[in-house]
Amino acid sequence: MHLVLEVDDSLGTLTPEARAAGIDQAEQVLRTRIDEFGVEEPLIQKSGAERLIVELAGISDPERARDIIQQAAFLEFKLVEVAALSEQQLARVDRAIVTSIGVDSLRALGRDVAGPTGDLAEVLFGGAEAGDSLASDSTAVADSAETAVQAEEAPNLRPFSSLLRIGGDAPGTYLVAEEDVETARMFLSMDAVQNALPRNLSLQWGNDRESQAARNYRRLFTLVDEAFMTGEYLEDAQAQRDPQFNQAIVNFQFNRAGGRLFSRFTGANVGEYLAIVLDGEVMSAPVIRDRIGASGQIEMTGAPIEEARDLALVLRAGALTTPLRIMEERTVGPSLGQDSIEQGEVAGIIGLVLVLVIMIGYYRMAGFLSIIALSVYLLLVMGGMAGMGATLTLPGIAGLILSVGMAVDANVLIFERIREELAAGRATRTAVDEGFGHALSAIVDANVTTLITALILFQFGTGPVRGFAVTLSIGIIASFFSAIYVTRTFFLLYLQGRKASDPISI
C-alpha cells in the first residue's frame, strides 16, 4: 500500500511554514501509530516540505489502515448545554440561512418550509411533517440579488429548525432524521449560521445512530463551545468490553496535571452532562454523578471491539494538529515482485552451493560438519523470527545473508586454529579443544561488536533499517551458538572411537 499525504488546507488559511510544521508533526504521530498497528518495516518519509509518503507492506485490511492514518484523534471535553436553543435563536439561524442562499435555492433543496404560528414545542415536534409542504408566499420571490429582502418578506421560513426534533430523554440535544443529516450539515457549515448561533454555544453531531418509531436519527448536541480540557493530558488509553453491557469501551488515563484539572472541573459540575468529543463528534455524554479522578471512559455504542482498539491506538499515539488528505493511493500486488523473488532464489541457491563446495572441498569432513551446523543455524534463525512475528523482507534477507557469512567465518576461524595446533604436533583431541578455545575470543569479539551495532540500528533506525537489525541480531545469536556449541558437538561425535593419534579430515 503506497500513500502520498499532504496537509488538508482546503480553506487556504495555512501558511507554507504551518503546512511544513504540520507534516513534521504528522510524520512523528503516524510513525507511532503504525508501529503500534503492527506493520512490519513501514516506510514513512517526507517528500519535499509539504508531503509525506507512507508505504505499508503486507496490509490485509487497507481500509482500517487508511482510517488509522487519517484520523485526527483530537479529543475534547465539553459541557452539554441542557437548555435547548430558544425559539428566537432558532429563528435567527433560519433567517441567516434564507439570507445566505435565498429562497430559490431553498426551494431547489425542498427546504423552503414555512413555520407554524405555534409555540416552540410545536415547531420542533411538528417540523418534519410540515416540511412536506411548500410555503406558498415564497414563490413570489424570484430575484437572487434581493435575497435579504426576501428573508424579510418571508420571516416564517425555517429550513433548519424544521429538521430538528427534541432529543427525548437527553436534555440539550436534538434528533435529525438520517435522510436530512447532509442538509443539516450543509446549513451548519455556513459562516452565517455559525455567526447566528449564541456566541458561547455550538451544535455538534453525535457519533452513533438511533432508531425511534421505525426511523433512524442522528443526535445533535448543544455544547458549551469552549472545551475545558483536551487530550493533551492523556497518558494512556486501552480498549475493552464493558462487562455489564457487553459493548466496546475505551478507558483512558490522564497524567497528574490532567487528573487534577479533570477532578476539579467534574467536582464543580456534578449533575451536568459531560460530552466527550473526538474529531468534532460527540462519542458519549454521560451525566456527572460525582467527582471524577484521573481516568475516564469513552462508550463505543454499537461499534466492534476492533474499532475501540483502533481508537485507543490513535489516542495513545497523539493527535494530528492538522488533518491530512490522501493525494495518491496505489496498491502493489505481490505478483509484481515475482521476478525479484525468482532472481533472489537463484542467487541464494548459487551462493549456498558455492559455500557447500568451498567448505567441503577445502576442509573435507570438518567442512561437512560445519554445513550441518549451518543447517541448525538456519533453523534457529527461522524459529526465532517466527517466535517474534517478524516478516522476512528484502532488508531482512540482507541481514540473514550477513549473519550466514559470520557463521561461516566463525567455522573458518576454528578450523584454521585446529590446523595450526595439528601442525604444531598436538594430538587430535587436544588440537580440536585448543582450536575451539583459541578461536573463541575472536568469535566473541566479532559477534558482540556486530550485535551492538544491530541493537543501535534497531533503537534509532526506522522501517527497513529496523527489519535489517532484527534479522541480523537473531542471526548473530544463532551464529554464535551454532559455531561454539553445535559444531563442537558434531566434532566430538566425529572423534568418538578414534585414537588420539588418528588423523582427522580437516
Side-chain angles (χ1 to χ4, degrees):
M1 186 176 181
H2 173 92
L3 298 173
V4 178
L5 307 168
E6 74 172 19
V7 170
D8 187 0
D9 185 24
S10 52
L11 299 178
T13 56
L14 298 177
T15 64
E17 292 76 15
R19 289 196 293 271
I23 283 295
D24 289 339
Q25 192 263 354
E27 183 183 11
Q28 298 299 324
V29 171
L30 292 188
R31 197 176 298 285
T32 306
R33 288 184 184 181
I34 292 172
D35 283 346
E36 287 208 26
F37 185 51
V39 177
E40 297 295 336
E41 301 178 15
L43 173 65
I44 304 172
Q45 64 181 24
K46 288 198 297 183
S47 175
E50 299 181 1
R51 288 194 173 184
L52 203 60
I53 294 176
V54 178
E55 291 184 354
L56 307 175
I59 290 293
S60 59
D61 190 351
E63 187 66 29
R64 185 181 171 207
R66 196 180 300 112
D67 289 344
I68 288 176
I69 289 173
Q70 284 195 288
Q71 189 167 6
F74 186 64
L75 187 64
E76 299 172 286
F77 299 89
K78 297 182 176 181
L79 276 182
V80 176
E81 176 56 56
V82 294
L85 296 177
S86 67
E87 188 175 5
Q88 290 75 19
Q89 291 166 337
L90 286 172
R92 191 161 60 243
V93 172
D94 288 330
R95 283 198 299 273
I97 295 171
V98 175
T99 304
S100 296
I101 65 178
V103 177
D104 288 342
S105 297
L106 287 174
R107 186 179 297 118
L109 292 171
R111 300 312 316 170
D112 53 336
V113 184
T117 56
D119 57 14
L120 177 61
E122 184 184 357
V123 170
L124 297 174
F125 283 106
E129 289 75 14
D132 296 333
S133 64
L134 301 180
S136 57
D137 57 344
S138 65
T139 55
V141 185
D143 189 356
S144 59
E146 299 176 353
T147 303
V149 176
Q150 294 170 8
E152 294 294 331
E153 294 174 350
N156 284 331
L157 290 185
R158 50 185 187 86
F160 180 70
S161 60
S162 64
L163 302 176
L164 306 179
R165 298 175 68 87
I166 290 292
D169 56 351
T173 66
Y174 301 97
L175 294 176
V176 178
E178 190 69 39
E179 61 270 21
D180 295 328
V181 167
E182 286 306 315
T183 303
R185 283 187 188 277
M186 183 194 71
F187 290 154
L188 288 174
S189 67
M190 296 167 58
D191 291 339
V193 171
Q194 295 299 320
N195 293 333
L197 287 171
R199 184 166 299 178
N200 61 332
L201 297 181
S202 64
L203 293 174
Q204 291 186 251
W205 296 97
N207 175 259
D208 59 325
R209 292 167 174 76
E210 301 179 28
S211 295
Q212 293 187 15
R215 294 189 72 181
N216 293 323
Y217 293 92
R218 289 286 298 273
R219 194 173 288 274
L220 195 59
F221 290 79
T222 308
L223 304 180
V224 175
D225 191 38
E226 185 177 358
F228 73 89
M229 191 169 170
T230 66
E232 63 178 315
Y233 298 100
L234 205 63
E235 192 171 67
D236 190 23
Q238 298 292 334
Q240 65 180 67
R241 283 202 175 278
D242 186 335
Q244 185 176 1
F245 300 104
N246 196 35
Q247 70 176 7
I249 57 175
V250 175
N251 291 317
F252 55 85
Q253 184 79 27
F254 294 117
N255 58 23
R256 183 175 299 179
R260 285 198 298 268
L261 180 59
F262 200 59
S263 175
R264 187 163 58 247
F265 186 85
T266 53
N269 290 278
V270 172
E272 302 287 342
Y273 287 81
L274 172 66
I276 302 173
V277 185
L278 181 71
D279 293 343
E281 290 194 344
V282 180
M283 303 299 292
S284 55
V287 63
I288 303 173
R289 302 290 184 192
D290 201 352
R291 181 186 298 273
I292 304 174
S295 60
Q297 185 180 91
I298 299 175
E299 299 171 3
M300 305 283 290
T301 307
I305 189 66
E306 289 76 15
E307 190 173 327
R309 291 196 184 102
D310 291 346
L311 173 59
L313 184 154
V314 296
L315 288 177
R316 286 196 301 271
L320 292 171
T321 55
T322 51
L324 299 176
R325 64 181 173 186
I326 298 176
M327 301 300 296
E328 180 184 343
E329 178 178 356
R330 287 186 280 118
T331 301
V332 180
S335 59
L336 293 179
Q338 191 60 38
D339 290 343
S340 299
I341 293 173
E342 291 174 355
Q343 291 174 2
E345 289 176 348
V346 171
I349 291 172
I350 293 175
L352 186 60
V353 169
L354 285 175
V355 170
L356 290 173
V357 170
I358 292 173
M359 291 299 289
I360 295 176
Y362 193 71
Y363 293 109
R364 294 169 290 180
M365 179 54 75
F368 178 72
L369 295 177
S370 71
I371 295 302
I372 299 176
L374 198 60
S375 302
V376 176
Y377 152 81
L378 287 173
L379 190 64
L380 292 173
V381 172
M382 294 303 173
M385 293 185 66
M388 295 180 64
T391 303
L392 188 60
T393 56
L394 282 178
I397 292 174
L400 180 64
I401 291 174
L402 179 57
S403 62
V404 167
M406 295 189 66
V408 173
D409 182 59
N411 285 315
V412 169
L413 280 173
I414 294 169
F415 296 160
E416 289 299 325
R417 293 308 302 254
I418 293 176
R419 280 184 169 184
E420 290 176 2
E421 297 298 328
L422 290 172
R426 308 278 187 191
T428 304
R429 180 61 184 265
T430 304
V432 171
D433 291 339
E434 292 293 328
F436 275 95
H438 291 155
L440 181 61
S441 59
I443 295 173
V444 170
D445 285 346
N447 282 276
V448 168
T449 52
T450 309
L451 181 61
I452 291 173
T453 304
L455 293 177
I456 292 173
L457 289 176
F458 180 80
Q459 179 64 32
F460 298 103
T462 58
V465 176
R466 297 189 82 176
F468 172 80
V470 168
T471 312
L472 183 60
S473 300
I474 297 174
I476 289 171
I477 296 171
S479 166
F480 182 79
F481 178 78
S482 65
I484 299 301
Y485 297 101
V486 179
T487 306
R488 186 184 182 91
T489 300
F490 287 144
F491 246 102
L492 294 177
L493 292 174
Y494 171 61
L495 294 177
Q496 267 188 342
R498 289 175 176 271
K499 296 179 181 178
S501 57
D502 288 346
I504 59 174
S505 177
I506 187 168

